[in-house]
Amino acid sequence: TVLTQSPGTLSLSPGQRATLSCRASQSVNSNYLAWYQQKPGQAPRLLIHGASSRATGIPDRFSGSGSGTDFTLTVSRLEPEDFAVYYCQQYGDSLTFGGGTKVEIK
Amino acid sequence: EAQLLEWGGGLVEPGGSLRVSCTASGFTFSSFGMNWVRQAPGKGLEWVSTIGGSGDDTYYTDSVKGRFIISRDNSKNTLHLQMNSLQVEDTAVYYCAKDWSRLVGSAFDFWGRGISVTVSS
């Protein structure tokens, strides 16, 4: 399963809403779709699993939605620490990652 | 809280071998699948390999099948990745990551800091 993330780069200001897309080449089994955040020089951090369940300790401004082939990560109000690269991952058919979306400060 | 620490990386010539390892703490190691994920310089994440809690089931991405071997020693809470016939394209930071659930190869809830592997002559 190939995952395509869009846009490649999102330029926004703190306080704005971020909407990131992840599209799968075939339906993701059981909505086994996760989202990660990665900052420069750091390991990725799990944000969302099962398409919409927040991982432990993740603020509620992060939310995941979608099913089948189309998934979305929404950050309701961007905080300064949210500017990073975000990856989606499917684990319903082997394991694959999307190419990433960079959220940068406008 | 779970902690993962990779070690054993370095510089190796094309065609050579290297073993990277990961020591785990803070959770019942044998109860969870474990994974290796790599990131080439300036690139995105790429899943490499997964092993079930008992070590009996293993999975690999196509580009490393027949060259890499994942294994684990549950008595020592340690995960290994033996990398043979290394190619320049294997140059990356290699992360050890823990399965979030008892489903082998699921989302990864804890990650190590990563270890650098460079394949160059």
Side-chain angles (χ1 to χ4, degrees):
Chain A
T1 303
V2 177
L3 298 179
T4 302
Q5 292 189 240
S6 61
T9 302
L10 200 50
S11 298
L12 295 168
S13 301
Q16 286 192 295
R17 182 185 189 90
T19 303
L20 287 66
S21 173
C22 177
R23 179 161 292 176
S25 60
Q26 60 191 60
S27 185
V28 176
N29 293 335
S30 304
N31 289 337
Y32 284 157
L33 193 287
W35 290 94
Y36 299 85
Q37 176 193 69
Q38 187 180 33
K39 298 178 181 179
Q42 296 185 16
R45 177 174 71 144
L46 177 65
L47 301 174
I48 301 287
H49 58 83
S52 60
S53 298
R54 268 188 302 276
T56 303
I58 301 303
D60 61 7
R61 65 180 181 273
F62 291 92
S63 63
S65 63
S67 64
T69 60
D70 290 300
F71 298 87
T72 300
L73 174 71
T74 301
V75 187
S76 59
R77 286 177 56 85
L78 284 165
E79 297 288 340
E81 63 268 26
D82 299 335
F83 292 90
V85 179
Y86 292 82
Y87 295 95
C88 58
Q89 174 216 13
Q90 69 80 25
Y91 48 99
D93 170 31
S94 188
L95 289 135
T96 49
F97 286 93
T101 291
K102 181 179 182 180
V103 178
E104 65 175 21
I105 299 177
K106 187 173 182 180
Chain B
E1 181 174 281
Q3 291 193 341
L4 302 169
L5 181 64
E6 301 95 341
W7 44 281
L11 173 65
V12 61
E13 292 186 347
S17 297
L18 194 66
R19 186 172 85 159
V20 291
S21 301
C22 169
T23 300
S25 61
F27 65 102
T28 305
F29 183 68
S30 60
S31 294
F32 291 90
M34 295 295 296
N35 309 270
W36 289 100
V37 176
R38 67 186 179 184
Q39 188 167 35
K43 302 298 184 183
L45 302 172
E46 180 186 22
W47 168 72
V48 175
S49 185
T50 292
I51 187 168
S54 66
D56 290 341
D57 43 348
T58 59
Y59 309 90
Y60 301 91
T61 193
D62 286 347
S63 64
V64 309
K65 280 180 185 174
R67 300 190 299 123
F68 289 12
I69 300 171
I70 190 171
S71 63
R72 63 191 297 160
D73 183 342
N74 287 343
S75 70
K76 296 181 179 179
N77 286 2
T78 303
L79 174 72
H80 303 289
L81 184 68
Q82 176 66 43
M83 301 182 288
N84 301 320
S85 302
L86 280 160
Q87 304 166 356
V88 172
E89 309 83 76
D90 297 316
T91 295
V93 172
Y94 284 73
Y95 293 102
C96 162
K98 169 188 168 292
D99 276 347
W100 163 75
S101 74
R102 303 300 171 99
L103 171 70
V104 177
S106 63
F108 308 149
D109 61 347
F110 286 95
W111 296 63
R113 297 179 67 177
I115 190 80
S116 179
V117 172
T118 301
V119 184
S120 175
S121 54

